[in-house]
Amino acid sequence: MPVQVVVGAQWGDEAKGKVVDYLARSADIVARYAGGNNAGHTICVGDQVFKFHTVPCGILREHITPVIADGVVLDIRSLIGEMNTLESQGIDTTRLRIGKAAHLNLPYHLLMDEMEETRRGAAKLGTTKRGIGPTYADKAARVGLRFGDLLEPSRFRARLQRALDYKNVLLGHVYQASPLHLDAILDEYLLYGERLKPLAVHAPNLLSEARQAGKTILMEGAQGTLLDLDYGTYPYVTSSHPIAAGACLGTGLGPRHLDEIWGVAKAYSTRVGEGPFPSELTDERGDYIRERGKEYGTTTGRARRCGWLDLVALRYSAQVNSFTALAITLLDVLSGLDELFVCVAYRCHGEQVSVFDPDAFVLTECEAVYERLPGWKEEIDHCRRREDLPVNAQNYLQFIESFVDAPIRLISLGPEREQTIFS
Ligand code: GDP
Ligand code: IMO
Ligand code: MG
């Protein structure tokens, strides 16, 4: 039974949630491996709409054990809120398992993310202001608190006291903000700890034993390859590793055990926040895509920047992740356009280049070079076989496959489960 990884191949919001929910039909465990509640995955099942930020979306399938693995950063307050909302929608969250080594995203992280963005002014990154960067920074600096600490009240108190001694100096002197009080945080968080204690696990052991027992494990990515801390468009990136290698780091499963690596890409491109985007559309065609694709963020409600499919970036993404398959989503959004443009190279300082350099300062200087492909007029959200799609849509998919050199095994034509072609 395979271990499958679902990775965002672009700048996030590729409909990974829908793809994970679909593939989870035939999995046993769904393990989220990176990021925190900066993620927002929307899943539609019939007339119910579910929004996920930290809980793995595999939880919608009753047979799944959902695991939040150690690479994730946990805003416990937001997690509890999300679990309560899911419970009110009829989802049993007692099946959830949470890795004890997952780092805690605490109130001072949130404040610092917000205040750092304000301090950067025009040079802001456009973060989700969820405290993600400061939490991962503390993890790397070895001063973070982990979920396992929260489960031991005296240890949590001591470590939080130490952290606040330092953070309150920063809050007061650098940001001119009021200090945070130990007892207020303790009172709130220790209650959360009590509620979540039964869910705590040693995630690498749980996953390794499940794999050896022949279970199918689906590793759920968040964000996207081009937001990866090392391989994305630094500094306009997140602070974690959304790429497939991040699934190993975030779960403790070794690289030899990854069997299938699914890259999820929209049939076009979107980006939220700042940073270079060579195939961005700022005209009415961008608006057309934004309105048809409902391209407004699940987490922050921000309008997403929209543009043509960037195949140079997607091929880079396939290289970094070693995709075994592609899922192309939101293809239905492109219906009605006479002509589709796909970016097949860049022009940088008068030279044409066909390799992707993610360095934001280099990429900002790059202009997209397009190939034009004929569009299709008809709506396609009802199609259930690839051969039922208009010929121009089939050709568009084939063009992607041959440029990226990876097979498209899933095509999504709408938010519903059944609006999917799978092979
Ligand atoms: P994620 O963060 O990668 O899971 O993606 P988001 O959930 O942030 O954004 C994808 C959005 O597109 C969600 O609102 C989905 O309900 C919706 N969606 C998913 N697949 C399709 C599709 O094939 N067509 C259309 N029109 N919408 C889709
Ligand atoms: P999902 O999982 C799209 C972007 C932010 C910002 C940058 C850094 O829904 O695909 P951060 O708060 O992480 O420090 O912000 O990363 N970003 C996302 N964009 N989808 C996401 O998640 C994102 N998570 C972070 O907009 O540009
Ligand atoms: Mg999203």
Side-chain angles (χ1 to χ4, degrees), residues 269-270 277 279-281 286 289-290 295 304-308:
S269 305
T270 62
F277 182 1
S279 63
E280 183 169 11
L281 283 166
I289 291 175
R290 185 173 307 103
E295 293 294 358
R304 296 174 181 153
R305 300 157 66 192
C306 297
W308 297 121

Side-chain angles (χ1 to χ4, degrees), residues 11-51:
W11 279 287
D13 301 326
E14 302 91 346
K16 298 173 292 294
K18 167 165 173 172
V19 172
V20 167
D21 174 66
Y22 190 87
L23 295 179
R25 290 176 315 165
S26 45
D28 299 294
I29 292 181
V30 174
R32 170 80 189 267
Y33 63 81
N37 63 337
N38 49 347
H41 311 308
T42 302
I43 296 181
C44 302
V45 184
D47 52 12
Q48 273 193 299
V49 178
F50 299 93
K51 293 191 185 290

Side-chain angles (χ1 to χ4, degrees), residues 84-309:
N84 290 343
T85 305
L86 286 169
E87 288 283 345
S88 73
Q89 292 183 288
I91 305 298
D92 169 23
T93 60
T94 60
R95 282 177 289 136
L96 185 62
R97 296 292 174 265
I98 306 174
K100 284 194 278 194
H103 274 250
L104 297 179
N105 178 347
L106 289 160
Y108 45 84
H109 294 123
L110 224 82
L111 283 172
M112 285 176 181
D113 194 3
E114 265 187 33
M115 293 185 297
E116 272 302 306
E117 276 289 86
T118 309
R119 264 163 65 90
R120 286 182 198 114
K124 71 175 192 232
L125 300 175
T127 76
T128 59
K129 299 188 182 169
R130 293 294 188 275
I132 304 299
T135 307
Y136 279 111
D138 275 1
K139 173 176 173 172
R142 296 158 296 177
V143 295
L145 276 69
R146 308 200 293 183
F147 180 53
D149 296 324
L150 179 64
L151 307 178
E152 306 289 340
S154 59
R155 183 165 119 192
F156 185 63
R157 165 184 269 278
R159 290 184 60 75
L160 184 61
Q161 174 73 72
R162 246 183 118 76
L164 284 181
D165 285 347
Y166 178 64
K167 300 295 177 189
N168 278 337
V169 175
L170 275 183
L171 286 173
H173 291 271
V174 179
Y175 302 104
Q176 282 79 48
S178 313
L180 293 174
H181 297 292
L182 177 74
D183 287 333
I185 303 181
L186 277 179
D187 289 349
E188 183 184 352
Y189 278 71
L190 289 176
L191 278 180
Y192 297 151
E194 254 172 60
R195 171 163 167 193
L196 297 179
K197 195 164 189 162
L199 314 186
V201 291
H202 187 292
N205 288 355
L206 180 149
L207 295 171
S208 170
E209 280 162 22
R211 195 193 69 81
Q212 284 177 40
K215 308 264 193 221
T216 295
I217 302 171
L218 189 56
M219 319 265 238
E220 173 180 330
Q223 289 76 50
T225 300
L226 305 176
L227 291 172
D228 186 272
L229 180 59
D230 283 318
Y231 299 101
T233 56
Y234 193 90
Y236 300 99
V237 292
T238 190
S239 298
S240 66
H241 294 291
I243 60 169
C248 294
L249 292 172
T251 61
L253 268 189
R256 260 195 317 122
H257 300 315
L258 306 187
D259 298 295
E260 289 181 11
I261 300 170
W262 286 76
V264 185
K266 282 177 175 162
Y268 49 93
S269 305
T270 62
R271 175 161 207 171
V272 198
E274 307 304 314
F277 182 1
S279 63
E280 183 169 11
L281 283 166
T282 49
D283 59 12
E284 69 283 357
R285 293 170 303 177
D287 298 338
Y288 183 84
I289 291 175
R290 185 173 307 103
E291 293 316 312
R292 279 185 61 91
K294 301 193 177 66
E295 293 294 358
Y296 297 88
T298 309
T299 300
T300 57
R302 288 179 289 179
R304 296 174 181 153
R305 300 157 66 192
C306 297
W308 297 121
L309 182 62

Side-chain angles (χ1 to χ4, degrees), residues 23-78:
L23 295 179
R25 290 176 315 165
S26 45
D28 299 294
I29 292 181
V30 174
R32 170 80 189 267
Y33 63 81
N37 63 337
N38 49 347
H41 311 308
T42 302
I43 296 181
C44 302
V45 184
D47 52 12
Q48 273 193 299
V49 178
F50 299 93
K51 293 191 185 290
F52 291 93
H53 298 287
T54 309
V55 175
C57 20
I59 200 167
L60 291 182
R61 307 269 185 187
E62 275 175 22
H63 67 277
I64 289 286
T65 301
V67 179
I68 299 175
D70 296 337
V72 173
V73 290
L74 287 176
D75 177 332
I76 297 280
R77 194 189 275 159
S78 144

